[in-house]
Amino acid sequence: MTREAARQLVAWYLQSRGAGLSEGLNAQGLGGAMVGGAQLYFEHHADTQTLECSALVYRFREDPKPGVIEGFRQEAAEGTDAGGGAVDFEEENKSLFLSRDYTTMPAGSAFEKDLERLMDASQAWGTTVLDRVATRVFGT
């Protein structure tokens, strides 16, 4: 998917969610917004022509303790619904996301449903799954 196609798709999606006139992605291929109670981020990867759509699960203040990220990955491997996304920990901003990639332009209705599932899952992962991982890792 080209950057321009990704920009148009994200702009359309955000505008349809009441974001007003949005460019979708900036000159660096990045974008984001609060939609409902979820934080969405978008990044176009020029090298692979991929649009990455991410819903924030949790932002750590410090580096996560050993076993935490692995615990989230284990949840995904065990089949916990990730809304069609994959566990994605970004070290530079210490944030955990559920992320989904697009290499071709999806239909608008499919994109809306995909992001709705991703956002719903990210909110569940930020509460229920986070508690389960903490219990598993720390015994609390």
Side-chain angles (χ1 to χ4, degrees):
M1 177 182 310
T2 66
R3 177 174 288 180
E4 180 57 22
R7 187 196 67 71
Q8 290 177 6
L9 177 63
V10 173
W12 167 81
Y13 177 77
L14 294 177
Q15 289 170 14
S16 74
R17 295 296 173 267
L21 291 178
S22 170
E23 287 298 312
L25 301 175
N26 65 18
Q28 292 76 38
L30 303 171
M34 282 291 292
V35 177
Q39 291 183 29
L40 287 178
Y41 297 91
F42 304 94
E43 182 175 0
H44 182 264
H45 300 278
D47 57 340
T48 59
Q49 294 293 289
T50 301
L51 174 63
E52 179 182 5
C53 303
S54 302
L56 181 68
V57 171
Y58 190 79
R59 183 168 285 121
F60 296 87
R61 289 190 177 105
E62 299 176 9
D63 290 336
K65 303 283 188 224
V68 172
I69 301 305
E70 294 78 12
F72 281 103
R73 290 189 175 121
Q74 184 177 352
E75 284 283 335
E78 291 172 356
T80 300
D81 181 19
V87 174
D88 176 19
F89 178 67
E90 300 287 337
E91 289 185 32
E92 61 274 3
N93 58 22
K94 297 180 178 89
S95 296
L96 181 70
F97 300 93
L98 294 177
S99 296
R100 181 178 188 130
D101 294 339
Y102 295 87
T103 55
T104 59
M105 180 67 79
S109 60
F111 190 67
E112 287 177 308
K113 287 178 186 173
D114 288 350
L115 291 186
E116 188 69 33
R117 284 188 60 218
L118 196 65
M119 290 185 295
D120 288 346
S122 75
Q123 291 178 324
W125 279 61
T127 55
T128 308
V129 177
L130 176 66
D131 290 346
R132 207 164 43 232
V133 168
T135 299
R136 185 182 296 174
V137 173
F138 303 115
T140 59

